[in-house]
Amino acid sequence: MHVIWSLAIGALLSFGALPARADAHRLPRVAFINPGYGDRGFWKDVSDTMHVAAKQFGMEIVEFDSDRQWPLMAENASRVFAMDPPPDYIVASNEHQQGGRIILEANARKIPIFMILNDLTDAQKRRLGRPGTNFPYWIATLTPDNRKAGYEIARSLVMADEKRHPGAVKRDICLLSLAGDRNTPASLARLDGLDMALAEFPQLVEKRRLYANWSYEEGYNRTAAWLPEGCLDAIWAANDDIARGAISAIREAGRIPGKDVMVGGLNWSAQGLKLVKAGEMTMTHGGHFLAGAWIMVMVNDYRHGIDLQKMGPDFSFPMQAITRENIDLFEKKLGDRNWAHIDFSAFSLSGKNSENTSYHFDLAHLLGAIKNDQIE
C-alpha cells in the first residue's frame, strides 16, 4: 500500500498541472484503450456500439487498438497520456490486469476515467480502493454479470442433453470446459458460474478444464486433442470463437454438434447466432459488447451533472441468452447489427424528471429503444 500511494502521490505532483481541458470549438474527446482488435471479433463490436452512441451524444472517440497484446496495451496507455491536448475522458478495461496503472495515471492528470467489462481484481481493489474513494477521477466501473452467464451456459448443456435423451435418469454428461484465460476478471467470473452449475447439476461431469485464449484456433486445437479420449457429450465455451473452433473439431471427428455433442458459447457474434439457428449451439449468451454504448450513456450523463459515484460507482448489467426460442425476434429487430437504429438517449438519466435513477441496460429495453422508423 505504501508503494502504491508513493507512486500515486509522485504522479500527482508530476502531472497535477495537466487537467483534461475542453476546447469550446471541438467535440468532447473520449480516448478508448481497446484491449482487442479494432477490425474483428468481440472488441470490434464493443467499439462499433461505442462509436454509434458517442456520435448520438455529440462526442468523438479516439481509439487505440491493442490486438490482445498486453505490451501494446501498455504502449497505448502511454500514447493516451501523451495526447496534447489530453482527452476529456478515458475508457479502459482491466484486461491483462493493466487497469490499475491506467487509473493511477489518469488521476494524476485529472482525467475522468471509466472502466468497462473487466473490473479490477479483488487484490487490486485492496490496494487501490473503489471509484471515487482514493482516486476521485476514477468515476465508475461498468461490468456484465459474467457469473450468471457462465452458469446459464452450463445449464443449457444439461437441458439440451436431457431433451436429447428423454427418459434417461440423470445420465452422466461428459463435459469439456474451454475457458478464456487464467487472469482476466471476466474469465474468472464465468468460471465461477460454471462451478455453480457443476455443484447444482452433478450429472454434469467435468472431465477437463482447459484454457483457449479466447480464440477459434485454440478452441479447435484443445477439442481436437481431447476427442480421442472418447468421453465427450458437451462443451462449455467461454466465448463464441472458442465454441466455433470446438464445433469444427467435432465435425472433423465425424460427430454432429448439437446432437452428439452439445456446445454453448457467448458473445452474440454473427457466427454464433447462425450456429444457434442451425441447432449446433445451445445458445450464445451475451450482449455485453453493448457496454461500449452503455458507457457512452454514462459518460454523457456525467458530463451533464449526474453523480455516478453517488449512484454506484460499481454498475452491473445483465447478459442474456439468444436461443432458438428468441433468435427470430432478435434477427428481425437487430439482425443487420446496425446499432444506429437504436436511440441510446432512451437509456440516459440526464434531463429526465423521474424518481427512477437506475439504468436499464437489458434486451427488453434495447428492443424498445429501436427508432420508430426502423420498426416494420
Side-chain angles (χ1 to χ4, degrees):
M1 178 65 77
H2 176 73
V3 173
I4 292 292
W5 275 107
S6 295
L7 289 171
I9 291 169
L12 287 166
L13 290 173
S14 299
F15 299 107
L18 291 173
R21 54 187 182 272
D23 187 331
H25 300 291
R26 65 167 174 80
L27 297 177
R29 292 188 306 165
V30 180
F32 173 38
I33 305 172
N34 181 356
Y37 295 92
D39 61 353
R40 64 186 185 276
F42 169 75
W43 283 100
K44 178 185 182 299
D45 288 338
V46 176
S47 172
D48 287 348
T49 67
M50 183 181 295
H51 280 269
V52 168
K55 183 176 180 180
Q56 291 184 13
F57 290 122
M59 293 184 282
E60 176 188 359
I61 303 294
V62 183
E63 184 169 333
F64 298 81
D65 300 326
S66 304
D67 301 344
R68 289 199 179 275
Q69 301 175 37
W70 76 261
L72 180 54
M73 186 175 170
E75 290 176 19
N76 282 336
S78 297
R79 293 186 179 101
V80 167
F81 295 120
M83 290 173 64
D84 185 18
D88 300 295
Y89 310 96
I90 295 172
V91 173
S93 178
N94 194 35
E95 293 239 346
H96 313 294
Q97 298 191 22
Q98 295 290 303
R101 172 220 166 180
I102 296 171
I103 289 169
L104 277 169
E105 296 202 33
N107 273 265
R109 293 159 173 81
K110 301 182 181 179
I111 305 173
I113 181 168
F114 297 75
M115 300 296 289
I116 61 167
L117 291 166
N118 280 300
D119 195 0
L120 298 192
T121 65
D122 289 342
Q124 288 174 308
K125 287 178 180 177
R126 283 193 291 271
R127 296 194 302 267
L128 299 178
R130 299 171 68 240
T133 53
N134 299 341
F135 300 99
Y137 287 90
W138 180 12
I139 305 304
T141 297
L142 177 68
T143 56
D145 189 346
N146 281 291
R147 186 172 289 102
K148 182 180 178 183
Y151 168 85
E152 291 189 349
I153 293 170
R155 185 180 65 177
S156 77
L157 300 173
V158 175
M159 300 301 107
D161 189 86
E162 289 179 352
K163 187 175 181 180
R164 177 70 175 158
H165 300 91
V169 182
K170 290 190 176 180
R171 75 183 202 103
D172 284 352
I173 303 169
C174 295
L175 175 70
L176 174 64
S177 303
L178 299 177
D181 62 46
R182 298 176 185 272
N183 299 310
T184 302
S187 179
L188 298 175
R190 289 175 201 174
L191 288 172
D192 284 347
L194 169 60
D195 288 336
M196 288 169 53
L198 291 173
E200 182 174 338
F201 303 104
Q203 67 268 42
L204 196 60
V205 181
E206 187 178 44
K207 294 295 184 178
R208 188 69 61 86
R209 181 174 297 192
L210 303 171
Y211 294 85
N213 197 31
W214 307 107
S215 77
Y216 172 96
E217 292 77 13
E218 293 195 35
Y220 171 87
N221 291 334
R222 299 288 184 270
T223 306
W226 175 253
L227 277 163
E229 300 289 333
C231 185
L232 182 62
D233 301 309
I235 293 178
W236 181 98
N239 73 354
D240 285 352
D241 283 347
I242 295 172
R244 290 192 306 110
I247 286 171
S248 292
I250 291 166
R251 288 198 197 110
E252 286 190 11
R255 304 183 70 182
I256 302 173
K259 292 184 178 180
D260 299 327
V261 183
M262 305 302 169
V263 182
L266 185 152
N267 265 7
W268 284 13
S269 68
Q271 302 95 326
L273 291 167
K274 289 178 181 177
L275 291 169
V276 169
K277 192 160 190 174
E280 296 187 326
M281 282 174 58
T282 59
M283 67 162 60
T284 174
H285 219 291
H288 54 314
F289 59 76
L290 284 154
W294 305 147
I295 205 68
M296 288 300 98
V297 172
M298 294 173 68
V299 171
N300 182 67
D301 283 353
Y302 175 76
R303 285 178 59 208
H304 290 92
I306 300 295
D307 190 343
L308 296 177
Q309 291 178 338
K310 183 179 179 181
M311 285 176 56
D314 298 307
F315 296 84
S316 179
F317 66 96
M319 287 193 279
Q320 293 173 271
I322 302 296
T323 67
R324 296 190 80 178
E325 283 68 43
N326 62 3
I327 191 169
D328 288 340
L329 175 62
F330 180 86
E331 288 189 333
K332 178 181 178 181
K333 299 289 188 180
L334 292 169
D336 61 0
R337 302 178 82 82
N338 184 348
W339 312 116
H341 292 172
I342 300 167
D343 176 11
F344 288 107
S345 69
F347 299 91
S348 174
L349 302 178
S350 176
K352 294 182 179 176
N353 296 319
S354 171
E355 294 182 359
N356 187 354
T357 56
S358 60
Y359 288 114
H360 298 286
F361 297 149
D362 56 58
L363 181 58
H365 286 84
L366 181 72
L367 296 175
I370 296 173
K371 298 174 183 177
N372 290 332
D373 59 354
Q374 301 299 332
I375 298 176
E376 294 180 2

